Amino acid sequence: MTVDGYILPLPAENVEAYRAMAQCAGQIWIEHGALSYRECLGDDLSSEWSGDSFPKAVNASANEKVIFAFIEFESREHRDAVNAKVYEDPRLEECGDMEDPPFDFKRMAYGGFQVLVNLKK
């Protein structure tokens, strides 16, 4: 299994706009074969066990929330095929104004990951 994951700072006033954009885009990813699509809004981001935090990692200000999101795929090849279909899908443009998005793309951290441990109940 492969996961695309990312974190980003989001101005608090843009949460609902981001939710709408993510809901729209997520449906497209699922329709093209992603196994799951999750967008999570941070609500407990302080830790005594870590020397760093999600807010620090994306340089979030006091009026910003942090989004942690991931999309699951069968394999890297599956991810590449699904993502190619998604990025060619014209409906993606209907999900939001990428000229004026609700967050700053330059402050988003992204990566593709191979699942190391996958436990489920």
Side-chain angles (χ1 to χ4, degrees):
M1 182 178 293
T2 296
V3 174
D4 278 359
Y6 51 95
I7 61 172
L8 59 95
L10 177 68
E13 67 269 13
N14 292 348
V15 169
E16 290 308 315
Y18 184 85
R19 180 193 314 265
M21 182 187 76
Q23 181 72 33
C24 177
Q27 285 298 111
I28 295 169
W29 254 276
I30 294 297
E31 287 176 26
H32 286 298
L35 301 178
S36 71
Y37 181 99
R38 292 193 173 85
E39 297 269 358
C40 309
L41 182 66
D43 70 351
D44 181 14
L45 300 177
S46 60
S47 172
E48 61 190 66
W49 306 309
S50 174
D52 207 346
S53 68
F54 278 91
K56 283 186 201 174
V58 293
N59 197 27
S61 66
N63 69 333
E64 290 179 315
K65 304 291 186 180
V66 176
I67 297 290
F68 167 68
F70 58 98
I71 309 168
E72 293 180 303
F73 304 94
E74 294 170 4
S75 64
R76 184 168 180 177
E77 294 78 17
H78 179 240
R79 177 195 74 171
D80 292 347
V82 169
N83 283 347
K85 291 175 188 174
V86 168
Y87 295 132
E88 291 175 8
D89 193 317
R91 296 176 299 160
L92 197 58
E93 292 180 18
E94 299 169 12
C95 292
D97 182 1
M98 290 299 106
E99 297 299 317
D100 186 26
F103 66 97
D104 183 356
F105 275 102
K106 294 176 188 160
R107 294 172 55 212
M108 178 176 79
Y110 161 83
F113 299 85
Q114 183 179 31
V115 173
L116 185 61
V117 175
N118 186 17
L119 304 174
K120 295 181 182 182
K121 185 170 179 157

